[in-house]
Amino acid sequence: MIKEKISILGCGWLGLPLAEHLIKNGHPVNGSTTTKSRLKDLKAKGINPFLVDLKDLKNSTDFLDASTLIVAITSKELSAYKELIEKIVNSKVKKVIYISSTSVYISENKTVKETSPLAPSPLVAIEDLFRQNGNFDTTILRFAGLFGYDRNPANFFKNNPLIKNPEGFVNLIHQDDCIQIIQKIIEVNCWNVILNACCDSHPSRRDFYTKQLSEKYDIVPEFDKGKAKYKIISNKKLKSRLNYEFKINDLMKI
């Protein structure tokens, strides 16, 4: 059975495997890239390919011919997002998932949830642009640090094994869980909410990166000194609203 069409703005590290997953689950998918040479690669994977640049949206009409748009790009240009939202309002898109980050939270040495104080940042301003527009439904998905497959946590410190803030805590989420969560949001129609997406376990940065660097590169890291500054991301709201169980959940076992 053919399901609703989905457009993914940004077929990169997350957007590309997400597109493949959604296609396998029956969704026609429009996918964008800013690199002309990648269009044939997207098409080969069953994606309807489009060359779309957030800074130049004049050719985005056909790309936005979908009921749901997933924004999976790293740009933080507020003016460009304002133009994108104007395009969305004049398109068939009725639902948007905006991929944000848990970096929006202030590190106050405690557990943070979706209503916790936010640091002033372009991401928060962009979230607000989507949330305040009443012409379509928006879910804000704040991902913790992304890892999985070619993005190994040990690589973060491979060339400079000095671990800053070693007594702080790790907040990560695997690519597979990112994809499953997005699919779940679409399936259960979980709209007009903000959700933190982060696995349950939060080992110390000292323990986690010591293990990762030792196992992958046989490196013994050094540790910066100073008072710990951290935040622990709560995923309780996401697990409750989506009835979701994380697939990769114990970071000390990866």
Side-chain angles (χ1 to χ4, degrees):
M1 182 180 71
I2 298 177
K3 300 180 181 179
E4 64 179 283
K5 186 188 289 186
I6 297 170
S7 289
I8 300 176
L9 183 62
C11 285
W13 182 84
L14 176 61
L16 182 59
L18 171 62
E20 293 179 275
H21 177 85
L22 292 172
I23 289 169
K24 288 179 182 177
N25 281 273
H27 292 276
V29 174
N30 295 334
S32 81
T33 177
T34 58
T35 306
K36 190 173 182 179
S37 61
R38 291 196 64 230
L39 291 172
K40 63 180 183 297
D41 297 329
L42 300 188
K43 189 173 183 179
K45 293 180 180 295
I47 301 165
N48 191 18
F50 291 87
L51 193 66
V52 178
D53 191 325
L54 192 63
K55 298 176 184 177
D56 182 9
L57 294 168
K58 63 178 181 292
N59 296 320
S60 61
T61 302
D62 290 341
F63 169 70
L64 293 174
D65 179 18
S67 59
T68 299
L69 170 67
I70 300 168
V71 181
I73 55 177
T74 59
S75 172
K76 298 179 178 64
E77 294 190 32
L78 196 63
S79 60
Y81 280 100
K82 289 178 180 178
E83 183 178 351
L84 173 63
I85 288 172
E86 289 179 7
K87 297 287 187 182
I88 295 170
V89 169
N90 293 304
S91 75
K92 294 181 180 180
V93 172
K94 298 302 178 186
K95 296 167 286 187
V96 173
I97 297 175
Y98 175 65
I99 305 299
S100 188
S101 167
T102 56
S103 65
V104 298
Y105 296 110
I106 300 170
S107 295
E108 296 184 313
N109 291 22
K110 61 183 180 182
T111 298
V112 297
K113 54 186 180 179
E114 288 80 359
T115 54
S116 295
L118 306 178
S121 74
L123 275 179
V124 173
I126 294 165
E127 287 184 4
D128 289 343
L129 285 178
F130 282 103
R131 291 174 56 234
Q132 292 167 4
N133 194 294
N135 293 284
F136 49 85
D137 297 322
T138 297
T139 285
I140 305 295
L141 190 53
R142 292 174 178 161
F143 281 137
L146 304 174
F147 79 100
Y149 304 107
D150 61 336
R151 186 175 289 190
N152 188 293
N155 294 340
F156 303 164
F157 298 98
K158 175 184 176 182
N159 298 317
N160 183 22
L162 174 64
I163 311 301
K164 295 183 179 180
N165 195 24
E167 308 314 322
F169 298 94
V170 174
N171 298 288
L172 292 175
I173 182 169
H174 193 277
Q175 184 189 86
D176 290 351
D177 280 304
C178 295
I179 291 170
Q180 294 288 341
I181 287 167
I182 291 170
Q183 179 190 359
K184 192 81 168 178
I185 288 170
I186 295 167
E187 284 181 352
V188 304
N189 285 307
C190 184
W191 303 108
N192 300 312
V193 296
I194 299 172
L195 298 172
N196 291 338
C198 181
C199 74
D200 286 333
S201 68
H202 303 277
S204 73
R205 290 168 59 82
R206 179 187 296 274
D207 292 344
F208 179 72
Y209 288 113
T210 295
K211 180 176 183 291
Q212 292 296 313
L213 286 165
S214 173
E215 291 180 351
K216 186 168 179 62
Y217 295 115
D218 196 26
I219 292 175
V220 178
E222 298 178 5
F223 302 99
D224 198 13
K225 296 180 180 179
K227 189 176 180 180
K229 191 174 184 180
Y230 64 86
K231 56 195 170 192
I232 294 175
I233 306 300
S234 170
N235 61 14
K236 289 183 179 180
K237 182 178 178 182
L238 181 145
K239 291 198 297 183
S240 174
R241 292 294 293 266
L242 301 181
N243 190 26
Y244 187 77
E245 181 177 345
F246 281 79
K247 314 304 178 187
I248 292 87
N249 207 21
D250 188 341
L251 293 179
M252 294 304 289
K253 292 183 178 179
I254 64 171

